[in-house]
Amino acid sequence: MKNTGNIVSPLEGEGVRGDGQAKWYVVHVYSGHENKVKDSLLKMVENRNLQDLIMDVRVPTESVVEVKDGQRKVKTRKMFPGYVIVKMVVTNESWYLVRNTQGVTGFVGHGSEPIPLTPEEVARMGIEKIDIDLDVEVGDQVRVINGPFESFMGEILDISPEKQVMTVRISMFGRDTPVELEFDQVEKIQ
Protein backbone atom coordinates (compact mmCIF):
# COMPACT_ATOMS: atom_id res chain seq x y z
CA MET A 1 0.00 0.00 0.00
CA LYS A 2 1.37 3.38 -0.98
CA ASN A 3 0.59 6.58 0.85
CA THR A 4 0.23 9.57 -1.47
CA GLY A 5 -0.25 12.53 0.83
CA ASN A 6 -3.27 11.87 3.01
CA ILE A 7 -5.05 9.61 0.49
CA VAL A 8 -4.22 5.92 0.62
CA SER A 9 -4.89 3.73 -2.41
CA PRO A 10 -4.73 -0.02 -1.73
CA LEU A 11 -4.58 -0.75 -5.45
CA GLU A 12 -1.39 1.25 -6.08
CA GLY A 13 0.86 -0.62 -8.48
CA GLU A 14 -1.55 -3.53 -8.85
CA GLY A 15 -3.25 -2.54 -12.13
CA VAL A 16 -6.67 -3.94 -12.97
CA ARG A 17 -8.29 -6.19 -10.40
CA GLY A 18 -9.93 -9.45 -11.41
CA ASP A 19 -10.64 -10.12 -15.05
CA GLY A 20 -11.15 -6.55 -16.24
CA GLN A 21 -14.90 -7.12 -16.56
CA ALA A 22 -17.29 -4.43 -15.37
CA LYS A 23 -19.14 -5.46 -12.23
CA TRP A 24 -21.66 -3.79 -9.93
CA TYR A 25 -20.31 -2.42 -6.64
CA VAL A 26 -22.11 -0.86 -3.68
CA VAL A 27 -20.77 2.51 -2.53
CA HIS A 28 -21.65 3.91 0.90
CA VAL A 29 -22.53 7.62 0.84
CA TYR A 30 -23.83 10.20 3.28
CA SER A 31 -27.56 9.63 3.74
CA GLY A 32 -29.54 12.11 1.67
CA HIS A 33 -26.61 12.70 -0.71
CA GLU A 34 -27.26 9.73 -3.03
CA ASN A 35 -28.40 11.77 -6.04
CA LYS A 36 -25.68 14.42 -5.53
CA VAL A 37 -23.03 11.68 -5.50
CA LYS A 38 -24.54 10.08 -8.61
CA ASP A 39 -24.58 13.40 -10.49
CA SER A 40 -21.04 14.34 -9.38
CA LEU A 41 -19.68 10.93 -10.33
CA LEU A 42 -21.32 10.94 -13.77
CA LYS A 43 -20.03 14.48 -14.43
CA MET A 44 -16.46 13.52 -13.44
CA VAL A 45 -16.60 10.36 -15.58
CA GLU A 46 -17.65 12.46 -18.57
CA ASN A 47 -15.05 15.19 -17.93
CA ARG A 48 -12.21 12.67 -17.59
CA ASN A 49 -13.52 10.48 -20.43
CA LEU A 50 -13.67 7.35 -18.22
CA GLN A 51 -16.87 5.85 -19.67
CA ASP A 52 -14.92 2.64 -20.43
CA LEU A 53 -14.13 2.20 -16.69
CA ILE A 54 -17.29 3.52 -15.00
CA MET A 55 -20.30 2.53 -17.11
CA ASP A 56 -23.30 3.27 -14.90
CA VAL A 57 -24.27 4.84 -11.57
CA ARG A 58 -27.67 4.14 -10.01
CA VAL A 59 -29.73 5.08 -6.98
CA PRO A 60 -32.34 2.26 -6.86
CA THR A 61 -35.84 3.56 -6.16
CA GLU A 62 -39.31 2.09 -5.82
CA SER A 63 -42.80 3.56 -6.12
CA VAL A 64 -44.99 3.39 -3.04
CA VAL A 65 -48.61 4.44 -2.60
CA GLU A 66 -49.33 6.61 0.41
CA VAL A 67 -52.84 7.46 1.59
CA LYS A 68 -53.00 10.82 3.31
CA ASP A 69 -56.29 12.57 4.12
CA GLY A 70 -58.12 10.09 1.89
CA GLN A 71 -55.92 10.96 -1.10
CA ARG A 72 -53.76 8.31 -2.75
CA LYS A 73 -50.34 9.57 -3.78
CA VAL A 74 -47.63 7.63 -5.55
CA LYS A 75 -44.21 8.55 -4.19
CA THR A 76 -40.75 7.43 -5.18
CA ARG A 77 -38.47 6.39 -2.36
CA LYS A 78 -34.91 5.14 -2.24
CA MET A 79 -34.68 1.38 -1.79
CA PHE A 80 -31.26 1.60 -0.09
CA PRO A 81 -30.80 4.99 1.62
CA GLY A 82 -27.13 5.81 2.04
CA TYR A 83 -25.99 3.68 -0.91
CA VAL A 84 -25.24 4.15 -4.60
CA ILE A 85 -24.69 1.25 -7.02
CA VAL A 86 -21.82 1.64 -9.54
CA LYS A 87 -21.02 -0.54 -12.56
CA MET A 88 -17.30 -0.29 -13.11
CA VAL A 89 -13.99 -1.96 -13.89
CA VAL A 90 -11.82 -1.54 -10.78
CA THR A 91 -8.49 0.13 -11.62
CA ASN A 92 -6.39 2.59 -9.65
CA GLU A 93 -8.02 5.45 -11.54
CA SER A 94 -11.66 4.32 -11.22
CA TRP A 95 -11.24 3.32 -7.56
CA TYR A 96 -9.65 6.68 -6.76
CA LEU A 97 -12.33 8.65 -8.63
CA VAL A 98 -15.26 6.94 -6.87
CA ARG A 99 -13.60 6.83 -3.44
CA ASN A 100 -12.76 10.54 -3.52
CA THR A 101 -16.09 11.83 -4.80
CA GLN A 102 -17.59 14.28 -2.32
CA GLY A 103 -20.18 12.49 -0.16
CA VAL A 104 -18.70 8.99 -0.60
CA THR A 105 -17.55 7.28 2.59
CA GLY A 106 -16.27 4.10 0.92
CA PHE A 107 -17.02 0.90 -0.93
CA VAL A 108 -18.94 -1.90 0.74
CA GLY A 109 -16.45 -4.71 1.32
CA HIS A 110 -13.58 -5.82 3.54
CA GLY A 111 -11.52 -2.80 4.52
CA SER A 112 -10.65 -0.96 1.32
CA GLU A 113 -11.27 -3.98 -0.93
CA PRO A 114 -14.46 -3.44 -2.99
CA ILE A 115 -16.54 -6.61 -3.35
CA PRO A 116 -18.75 -6.92 -6.44
CA LEU A 117 -22.40 -7.95 -6.27
CA THR A 118 -23.14 -11.46 -7.52
CA PRO A 119 -25.33 -11.85 -10.64
CA GLU A 120 -28.09 -13.21 -8.36
CA GLU A 121 -27.93 -10.10 -6.15
CA VAL A 122 -28.01 -7.82 -9.20
CA ALA A 123 -31.08 -9.63 -10.56
CA ARG A 124 -32.84 -9.70 -7.17
CA MET A 125 -32.26 -5.97 -6.68
CA GLY A 126 -33.66 -5.30 -10.14
CA ILE A 127 -30.61 -3.25 -11.13
CA GLU A 128 -29.98 -5.05 -14.36
CA LYS A 129 -32.09 -7.57 -16.24
CA ILE A 130 -30.04 -10.71 -16.78
CA ASP A 131 -31.46 -12.94 -19.50
CA ILE A 132 -31.50 -16.62 -18.61
CA ASP A 133 -30.96 -19.12 -21.41
CA LEU A 134 -33.15 -22.05 -20.36
CA ASP A 135 -32.99 -25.22 -22.48
CA VAL A 136 -36.69 -26.19 -22.32
CA GLU A 137 -39.58 -26.66 -24.76
CA VAL A 138 -43.36 -26.71 -24.55
CA GLY A 139 -44.32 -30.10 -23.07
CA ASP A 140 -41.18 -30.45 -20.90
CA GLN A 141 -41.56 -31.21 -17.20
CA VAL A 142 -40.14 -28.66 -14.73
CA ARG A 143 -39.80 -28.31 -10.95
CA VAL A 144 -40.46 -24.94 -9.31
CA ILE A 145 -37.36 -24.06 -7.25
CA ASN A 146 -38.49 -20.80 -5.59
CA GLY A 147 -41.52 -18.62 -5.03
CA PRO A 148 -45.00 -19.50 -3.75
CA PHE A 149 -45.18 -22.70 -5.85
CA GLU A 150 -41.78 -24.01 -4.69
CA SER A 151 -41.40 -27.82 -4.99
CA PHE A 152 -44.43 -28.15 -7.30
CA MET A 153 -43.85 -29.91 -10.62
CA GLY A 154 -45.62 -29.27 -13.88
CA GLU A 155 -45.68 -29.23 -17.64
CA ILE A 156 -44.70 -26.21 -19.74
CA LEU A 157 -47.67 -24.90 -21.75
CA ASP A 158 -46.11 -21.74 -23.21
CA ILE A 159 -42.70 -20.01 -23.25
CA SER A 160 -42.04 -16.27 -23.71
CA PRO A 161 -38.23 -15.82 -24.05
CA GLU A 162 -38.45 -12.04 -24.51
CA LYS A 163 -40.31 -11.66 -21.19
CA GLN A 164 -38.28 -14.46 -19.54
CA VAL A 165 -41.49 -16.16 -18.35
CA MET A 166 -43.35 -19.39 -19.04
CA THR A 167 -46.80 -20.79 -18.33
CA VAL A 168 -46.67 -24.08 -16.44
CA ARG A 169 -49.60 -26.37 -15.63
CA ILE A 170 -49.32 -27.53 -12.03
CA SER A 171 -51.74 -29.67 -10.06
CA MET A 172 -53.13 -27.96 -6.95
CA PHE A 173 -55.88 -29.40 -4.80
CA GLY A 174 -56.61 -32.02 -7.46
CA ARG A 175 -57.03 -29.42 -10.24
CA ASP A 176 -54.66 -28.49 -13.06
CA THR A 177 -53.86 -24.80 -12.79
CA PRO A 178 -51.79 -22.74 -15.27
CA VAL A 179 -49.33 -20.40 -13.51
CA GLU A 180 -46.88 -17.90 -14.96
CA LEU A 181 -43.33 -18.39 -13.71
CA GLU A 182 -40.06 -16.59 -14.39
CA PHE A 183 -37.19 -18.56 -15.94
CA ASP A 184 -35.15 -18.37 -12.71
CA GLN A 185 -37.99 -20.00 -10.75
CA VAL A 186 -37.83 -23.39 -12.50
CA GLU A 187 -35.43 -26.18 -13.37
CA LYS A 188 -35.90 -28.83 -16.03
CA ILE A 189 -36.59 -32.37 -14.79
CA GLN A 190 -34.24 -34.77 -16.57
Side-chain angles (χ1 to χ4, degrees), residues 121-174:
E121 290 169 326
V122 171
R124 202 169 43 242
M125 291 168 73
I127 299 170
E128 191 173 66
K129 182 79 171 140
I130 299 171
D131 285 346
I132 298 169
D133 188 20
L134 199 57
D135 184 28
V136 293
E137 310 177 343
V138 171
D140 284 352
Q141 295 292 312
V142 292
R143 177 183 297 108
V144 183
I145 54 174
N146 65 40
F149 302 106
E150 187 173 348
S151 77
F152 279 88
M153 290 185 232
E155 178 186 347
I156 299 174
L157 300 175
D158 185 43
I159 301 173
S160 178
E162 61 281 345
K163 292 182 182 175
Q164 295 277 294
V165 295
M166 65 178 64
T167 304
V168 177
R169 177 178 33 229
I170 60 174
S171 181
M172 283 192 304
F173 311 115

Side-chain angles (χ1 to χ4, degrees), residues 9 19 29 44 48 62 81 109 129 168 190:
S9 171
D19 55 10
V29 301
M44 286 192 294
R48 296 181 186 191
E62 62 185 349
K129 182 79 171 140
V168 177
Q190 302 301 342

Side-chain angles (χ1 to χ4, degrees), residues 40 87 93 125:
S40 296
K87 185 174 189 175
E93 195 173 12
M125 291 168 73

Side-chain angles (χ1 to χ4, degrees), residues 69-92:
D69 300 328
Q71 298 288 321
R72 290 171 47 105
K73 287 188 180 180
V74 177
K75 289 195 170 190
T76 302
R77 91 172 165 208
K78 294 178 186 97
M79 290 171 64
F80 310 107
Y83 295 95
V84 172
I85 316 297
V86 181
K87 185 174 189 175
M88 63 186 275
V89 176
V90 177
T91 65
N92 293 338

